[in-house]
Amino acid sequence: LNLTRTFGFDFDQVELVNGTTNQLFVLENHQLRRIDVASRQISGVLLNQIETFSSQGSNLLYLTTPKTTEDQTTRIIGTYRDGERGGTTLTTVTDDTNVLIALSRYYDNDYLAYIIGDQLTVYYGSLPSYSEQPSDPLANLEPLVESAQLTEAPAAFLVSPGGEYLVAQRDQAVTVIDLYMGDLYAYDLPEATLAWLDDSLLYSIDNGDFNVWDFDGTNRRQLVTDHAVEPGVANL
């Protein structure tokens, strides 16, 4: 299915809903919508002024586009449960610092993570629900990591395949967050390209050598040497 040809939109972001290709969250012109692939129908606008989002199951963590009022620029980091009337504000960013977001689910907990500049925060518990009279959005959440300073502001922030780890990366500098233990592991790579081999092993192809290591940077080894592997691993 060619989404652009079918619906007439150029989509900026497309994510699976509940891990299947039958339903998709899509972002077009800062508007979040949902697509039913089987019936080839697209919903109305679910959320507006969205810069980017991270999905897990049918839930979202999102970042809004900058809004300037009275010489102050603000962006909202918020959550959205599929089917609800609107989003819930988690926190507000009041400057133009770079913001990265990630949403995961591990065992029975949601993990909401964001990096503002070089400051990492992670909460776990239950995603808040929308309310017309908002109360404390953190009422059902507990802090796992509170404003931890990373070695530098990362450029990428993604979730491992099994959901247990988050990875913040800039070039060869990597920080892995273990969501089960709440531990952070910072280390450097021999080169900047890496990907997941399974739920807890990372790998890279460096000049044809296939390198593997544990999520925490230990037990590095070469599985294939002598330039036997073709490059082409996508950036994490």
Side-chain angles (χ1 to χ4, degrees):
L1 177 65
N2 187 311
L3 297 179
T4 300
R5 186 181 304 127
T6 300
F7 298 105
F9 293 131
D10 290 325
F11 297 106
D12 300 308
Q13 189 175 349
V14 178
E15 301 288 345
L16 304 178
V17 179
N18 288 321
T20 73
T21 57
N22 295 326
Q23 301 285 328
L24 305 172
F25 284 125
V26 294
L27 190 62
E28 182 273 328
N29 193 28
H30 303 301
Q31 296 178 329
L32 178 74
R33 301 172 184 264
R34 181 168 174 159
I35 285 177
D36 186 312
V37 174
S39 64
R40 301 196 177 190
Q41 293 184 338
I42 188 168
S43 74
V45 177
L46 305 176
L47 295 173
N48 212 341
Q49 301 303 315
I50 303 300
E51 184 68 30
T52 188
F53 67 91
S54 177
S55 66
Q56 173 57 44
S58 58
N59 299 326
L60 301 177
L61 182 69
Y62 62 83
L63 174 69
T64 62
T65 56
K67 181 179 181 180
T68 302
T69 57
E70 298 180 356
D71 298 326
Q72 184 181 60
T73 299
T74 60
R75 287 166 292 166
I76 291 172
I77 299 173
T79 62
Y80 173 73
R81 286 182 176 271
D82 188 35
E84 294 190 340
R85 293 179 57 187
T88 301
T89 297
L90 193 65
T91 189
T92 300
V93 183
T94 58
D95 55 36
D96 58 359
T97 304
N98 188 49
V99 178
L100 300 174
I101 58 174
L103 178 64
S104 182
R105 185 167 180 82
Y106 188 64
Y107 283 111
D108 294 326
N109 285 316
D110 296 311
Y111 288 85
L112 298 76
Y114 53 85
I115 301 173
I116 302 174
D118 61 359
Q119 301 290 311
L120 166 70
T121 297
V122 183
Y123 291 100
Y124 71 97
S126 297
L127 207 72
S129 293
Y130 171 79
S131 174
E132 293 185 2
Q133 298 179 335
S135 56
D136 181 8
L138 303 178
N140 296 318
L141 295 168
E142 297 288 339
L144 182 70
V145 179
E146 287 190 282
S147 299
Q149 185 169 358
L150 306 179
T151 54
E152 58 181 310
F157 191 34
L158 295 177
V159 183
S160 69
E164 184 176 357
Y165 306 104
L166 304 178
V167 181
Q169 179 188 6
R170 175 175 289 278
D171 300 325
Q172 287 139 301
V174 170
T175 299
V176 177
I177 302 98
D178 183 342
L179 296 179
Y180 181 69
M181 300 299 296
D183 296 328
L184 276 63
Y185 302 93
Y187 53 90
D188 292 332
L189 303 174
E191 53 96 41
T193 302
L194 72 154
W196 287 94
L197 185 63
D198 60 18
D199 288 351
S200 61
L201 290 177
L202 287 155
Y203 76 91
S204 69
I205 298 174
D206 183 13
N207 197 26
D209 297 333
F210 190 73
N211 305 297
V212 177
W213 62 93
D214 292 347
F215 67 93
D216 58 1
T218 61
N219 298 322
R220 300 192 187 195
R221 59 268 195 200
Q222 287 185 333
L223 298 187
V224 180
T225 60
D226 299 327
H227 313 305
V229 183
E230 292 292 331
V233 179
N235 283 336
L236 179 67

